[in-house]
Amino acid sequence: MDLILFGPPGAGKGTQAKRLVDLLKIPQISTGDMMRAERQAGTEIGKQFDHYMTQGLLVPDELVLSLFGQRLSQPDAKSGAILDGYPRTVAQAEALDALLAARGRKIDRVVSMEVSLAEMIDRVVNRRTCESCGHIYHLRYNPPPSPGLCGQCGGKLVQRKDDSEEVVRKRNQEYLEKTAPILDHYTAKGVVKAVSGVGTLDDVTQRIKSAIGLA
Ligand code: AMP
């Protein structure tokens, strides 16, 4: 199955994608995580990503396309993937459709996770991410068992540089202008299902499972 978890910043795409990996036995592909790894490694391309990401701007398509294309070609993604944060422009969606078609595949479902702007801001400013395993916490709704430490692997929890209210407002503006039109692209193909992204982690997982025909 090729599934897109779609939604604005803070919708819960990354959190839910990680929960679906075990269930669907296909990998999560997060271009945001891949870009952060390049930044952390201090590579040339990582420095270019940094410039856009810290301002809440989308990274230009030409830098994203090859990064994504290489990842989709890895053996673990040969029978499907859970896409989180890709595609983010109509051009990326068209490139994705072509990459999948070349493999005899297509996007089977786009699950559009809906949350309000107030909810997005609350989630993003209270989000803490494990710098070792990527596990995601919310300081109030899903707190780590010991402050500052990941309950899964003991790694250090950090706040993403772009998880401030000011930057999330910019990210939301980019989402509305450039990313939201993707929904029309996939609605025309009849594969979009909207779910509320508000509620407990289990509630939202359950809604996504229903939207993909698993429950
Ligand atoms: P995310 O981790 O998905 O919230 O992405 C964090 C940031 O990485 C975004 O605000 C963008 O600056 C950049 N980014 C991640 N994925 C993409 C993409 N598919 N296209 C353009 N920029 C991206």
Side-chain angles (χ1 to χ4, degrees):
M1 162 177 283
D2 286 289
L3 167 69
I4 297 176
L5 287 187
F6 191 84
K13 304 183 293 294
T15 301
Q16 292 295 333
K18 287 180 178 52
R19 298 184 129 216
L20 293 173
V21 165
D22 285 343
L23 204 68
L24 299 176
K25 312 274 182 256
I26 49 176
Q28 169 194 16
I29 300 185
S30 159
T31 42
D33 284 351
M34 293 165 73
M35 290 172 186
R36 280 184 286 279
E38 293 287 344
R39 279 164 67 179
Q40 216 169 349
T43 62
E44 266 319 302
I45 192 144
K47 287 179 195 146
Q48 295 189 54
F49 294 151
D50 194 64
H51 168 78
Y52 298 99
M53 293 170 83
T54 49
Q55 297 179 70
L57 298 172
L58 289 189
V59 171
D61 287 339
E62 57 274 21
L63 296 181
V64 185
L65 292 179
S66 69
L67 184 81
F68 177 78
Q70 284 168 29
R71 179 64 187 90
L72 191 73
S73 302
Q74 300 290 309
D76 64 336
K78 70 174 183 306
S79 50
I82 303 161
L83 307 184
D84 149 24
Y86 186 96
R88 263 186 158 101
T89 62
V90 173
Q92 290 181 19
E94 287 167 349
L96 169 65
D97 293 347
L99 279 174
L100 290 176
R103 293 162 169 79
R105 289 157 51 183
K106 61 172 176 47
I107 289 298
D108 299 298
R109 180 65 74 217
V110 176
V111 178
S112 176
M113 301 173 65
E114 300 182 336
V115 292
S116 68
L117 178 61
E119 182 87 22
M120 276 182 231
I121 292 173
D122 175 76
R123 288 182 179 187
V124 160
V125 299
N126 288 296
R127 170 159 57 192
R128 295 295 181 274
T129 309
C130 174
E131 67 176 6
S132 304
C133 74
H135 196 81
I136 300 167
Y137 295 89
H138 183 287
L139 291 180
R140 287 198 313 282
Y141 303 137
N142 178 28
S146 352
L149 290 181
C150 179
Q152 305 285 312
C153 76
K156 187 176 158 207
L157 299 183
V158 293
Q159 182 166 24
R160 278 170 45 175
K161 270 200 220 163
D162 58 346
D163 274 354
S164 66
E165 177 168 347
E166 189 194 347
V167 179
V168 83
R169 284 183 185 277
K170 183 70 207 162
R171 287 161 61 197
N172 186 47
Q173 212 174 314
E174 289 278 86
Y175 170 79
L176 294 173
E177 280 170 24
K178 299 178 183 159
T179 307
I182 292 175
L183 274 187
D184 291 340
H185 173 88
Y186 285 113
T187 298
K189 297 178 189 291
V191 293
V192 176
K193 287 233 167 127
V195 300
S196 165
V198 181
T200 66
L201 294 180
D202 287 343
D203 287 344
V204 179
T205 306
Q206 196 51 45
R207 287 179 206 135
I208 297 173
K209 281 169 71 177
S210 306
I212 59 180
L214 276 187

